[in-house]
Amino acid sequence: MDFRMEHDTMGEIAVPADKLWGAQTQRSFENFPIGQEKMPADLIRAFAVLKEACAAANCRLGKLDDRRFALIRQACQAILAGELEGNFPLAVWQTGSGTQTNMNCNEVIAHYGNAQAGQALLHPNDHVNMSQSSNDTFPSALHIAAVTSLHQRLEPALTEMIRCLQELQEENMAVVKTGRTHLQDAVPITFGQEISGWRSMLEHNLDMIATSLEGLYELALGGTAVGTGLNAPLGFEVAAAEEVSRLTGLPFCSAPNKFHALTAKDALVFSHGALKALAANLMKIANDVRWLASGPRCGLGEISIPENEPGSSIMPGKVNPTQCEALTMVAVQVMGNDTVMGIAASQGTFELNVFMPVMALNYLQSVRLLSDAMTSFTRRCLAGLKPNKEKMAENLHRSLMTVTALTPIVGYENGAKIAKLAHKENISLKEAAVRLELFTPEAFDGAFHPETMI
């Protein structure tokens, strides 16, 4: 491998000749050989948006000349277009402020811009990082990445799942089945009503996520190192936020208190809490589906789901609810990520939180996993879900809890006697009611209609 020599304030260091990063990136790359987790690509793209926005703001305010701004913008657009992949090698497990990732972006943008210009017009710190600090750029980039990933990935996946459930609900509103509480038989419900509960859960989750966006739209830009705005020109924080909004089409704004914006990560915790709530509901829905589909002969067997692949390497013909299993594993991972988010956010010491890279990893992983898993579950499971109407009817008429329909006539205690006798003797409710001389056969038939109990 060929190398070139780069320098920073600590001296010279060899950098791979085919890479655009500089000395500070190389030092981080060598000093933190920890794990396999790299800075998320969504965060790098957010940094590209941020660096272009800051350059535009500096140009508007007379701090940066037009030519340098154009070079920075060209480099940022190349990052967003995916043309500079392979130039962002740093581990998540680095400085907790994300300084080295900020400098990685600064160095790549400067080297790319200088190559386009054919001369050294851009300095990573003096021009690309003008009016900024890692301490205000990293949390701002994290907010930009969080918001854009929610809008671009999670909301479409969640909306698609809601639409699918709405269609299933309408198709099955007249299909009556036994309800269940405590994993025990309960009074009847329609399958459409059951599905409507799933749909409503996700609609509430969508509202929760939308509510959490308010805090994420606030940007720390302009706070620089400790929140005082040192070395940033007057009006920079507002101008930079306006430029981010222009580039993204989203209502980002300048955080009203930069001291809060640098040291507190409560907006991310609040937003991830909405993701955890979504994960909890997805866990419930996936579990309901695999319980209802259990069998095919020795389980509930009230629904069928698509058979996507063989389920066993030893048992021929076995098919498993694999999409449910994948979704529930994702839910568990997101719940674990939420613990990391809460602990990391609690570690704001004095003027800065230095757990930001791990928060970026966990938040963006949760969004991506939830989005991908919901899309897969919707298309490969829910879309092909079918009720077994015969099995539902059989279970409905065998259920002892349909005796509840008789209690207005014979009372709670006599109703219990009917149910217990039917269960003990393994006979129908009708047989038990007649044997106890509480109903004649004709009176029972006139009073007992499980389908009307919904």
Side-chain angles (χ1 to χ4, degrees):
M1 181 183 292
D2 294 331
F3 292 87
R4 70 176 188 276
M5 298 306 295
E6 289 283 340
H7 78 277
D8 58 12
T9 57
M10 297 184 72
E12 290 192 331
I13 189 169
V15 174
D18 63 336
K19 302 301 182 184
L20 294 175
W21 66 69
Q24 292 193 52
T25 302
Q26 187 65 31
R27 293 189 195 283
S28 179
F29 184 71
E30 294 179 6
N31 286 330
F32 296 97
I34 303 172
Q36 297 180 332
E37 297 81 10
K38 304 301 181 183
M39 279 293 179
D42 286 346
L43 184 72
I44 300 301
R45 285 190 288 270
F47 259 108
V49 170
L50 180 147
K51 293 298 175 180
E52 180 178 344
C54 288
N58 281 318
C59 189
R60 281 170 54 183
L61 297 170
K63 295 281 290 181
L64 187 69
D65 62 84
D66 289 341
R67 189 178 183 191
R68 287 186 170 88
F69 165 53
L71 290 172
I72 292 173
R73 178 173 58 188
Q74 186 179 2
C76 292
Q77 291 300 314
I79 293 172
L80 291 171
E83 297 172 10
L84 304 186
E85 290 183 6
N87 283 287
F88 304 96
L90 298 188
V92 166
W93 318 108
Q94 54 164 279
T95 174
S97 63
T99 298
Q100 290 140 12
T101 287
N102 180 43
M103 285 308 303
N104 182 194
C105 294
N106 291 336
E107 289 176 343
V108 169
I109 291 168
H111 278 83
Y112 181 88
N114 289 337
Q116 301 306 305
Q119 57 181 306
L121 291 178
L122 295 178
H123 187 281
N125 299 81
D126 295 337
H127 303 116
V128 186
N129 201 58
M130 180 183 287
S131 309
Q132 305 154 58
S133 164
S134 299
N135 297 351
D136 65 354
T137 58
F138 198 97
S140 296
L142 180 47
H143 276 208
I144 295 168
V147 169
T148 53
S149 64
L150 288 176
H151 281 304
Q152 294 173 6
R153 286 201 181 92
L154 191 130
E155 289 178 2
L158 182 50
T159 300
E160 181 183 359
M161 192 171 181
I162 290 170
R163 281 198 302 264
C164 184
L165 289 172
Q166 179 67 45
E167 293 172 4
L168 283 172
Q169 173 188 329
E170 292 170 0
E171 292 169 5
N172 293 282
M173 193 52 78
V175 179
V176 183
K177 63 185 290 290
T178 188
R180 294 180 177 88
T181 59
H182 304 270
L183 293 181
Q184 304 295 307
D185 303 340
V187 296
I189 188 174
T190 74
F191 190 36
Q193 289 172 330
E194 190 167 39
I195 295 170
S196 77
W198 303 343
R199 172 191 53 76
S200 183
M201 289 177 192
L202 300 186
E203 289 174 342
H204 280 76
N205 290 139
L206 194 58
D207 290 341
M208 292 173 192
I209 291 164
T211 299
S212 79
L213 288 170
E214 182 178 349
L216 295 178
Y217 283 132
E218 294 185 2
L219 299 180
L221 286 173
T224 65
V226 295
T228 61
L230 180 67
N231 290 347
L234 184 66
F236 173 79
E237 69 278 14
V238 174
E242 289 175 350
E243 292 295 336
V244 172
S245 292
R246 180 182 63 82
L247 291 170
T248 61
L250 297 168
F252 288 100
C253 62
S254 178
N257 188 304
K258 301 300 187 296
F259 307 103
H260 165 255
L262 265 61
T263 197
K265 297 292 161 274
D266 42 13
L268 286 161
V269 173
F270 182 73
S271 182
H272 198 278
L275 299 180
K276 181 175 71 171
L278 172 60
N281 281 342
L282 291 173
M283 175 74 82
K284 180 267 190 299
I285 293 169
N287 278 336
D288 281 359
V289 168
R290 60 178 170 179
W291 270 105
L292 291 171
S294 61
R297 292 189 174 180
C298 300
L300 296 180
E302 290 194 343
I303 64 172
S304 64
I305 55 178
E307 298 181 349
N308 296 322
E309 63 274 318
S312 174
S313 61
I314 187 173
M315 293 174 280
K318 194 174 193 297
V319 180
N320 297 327
T322 51
Q323 289 294 319
C324 297
E325 292 164 5
L327 184 57
T328 53
M329 284 192 289
V330 164
V332 168
Q333 181 66 55
V334 172
M335 293 174 191
N337 287 354
D338 194 71
T339 299
V340 174
M341 294 294 292
I343 295 173
S346 73
Q347 301 303 303
T349 304
F350 299 122
E351 278 64 59
L352 186 66
N353 179 291
V354 290
F355 281 68
M356 288 187 286
V358 74
M359 295 189 78
L361 173 70
N362 281 266
Y363 188 98
L364 295 173
Q365 183 193 60
S366 290
V367 173
R368 180 176 289 275
L369 287 177
L370 287 169
S371 303
D372 291 350
M374 282 191 293
T375 298
S376 184
F377 184 74
T378 299
R379 298 177 184 179
R380 297 175 177 85
C381 184
L382 286 183
L385 186 154
K386 303 292 182 185
N388 184 337
K389 297 179 182 179
E390 293 76 16
K391 185 66 174 177
M392 287 182 175
E394 176 189 345
N395 287 342
L396 175 67
H397 286 276
R398 291 182 67 246
S399 171
L400 299 177
M401 291 304 99
T402 51
V403 75
T404 307
L406 304 176
T407 56
I409 301 172
V410 298
Y412 183 92
E413 292 191 11
N414 281 330
K417 291 178 182 178
I418 294 172
K420 290 182 178 182
L421 179 62
H423 180 55
K424 180 180 178 181
E425 300 294 332
N426 194 26
I427 58 177
S428 68
L429 290 174
K430 180 178 180 178
E431 292 175 285
V434 172
R435 187 181 299 183
L436 290 168
E437 299 182 350
L438 293 170
F439 285 93
T440 64
E442 295 75 20
F444 185 91
D445 290 340
F448 185 72
H449 300 286
E451 291 81 2
T452 66
M453 296 174 66
I454 57 173

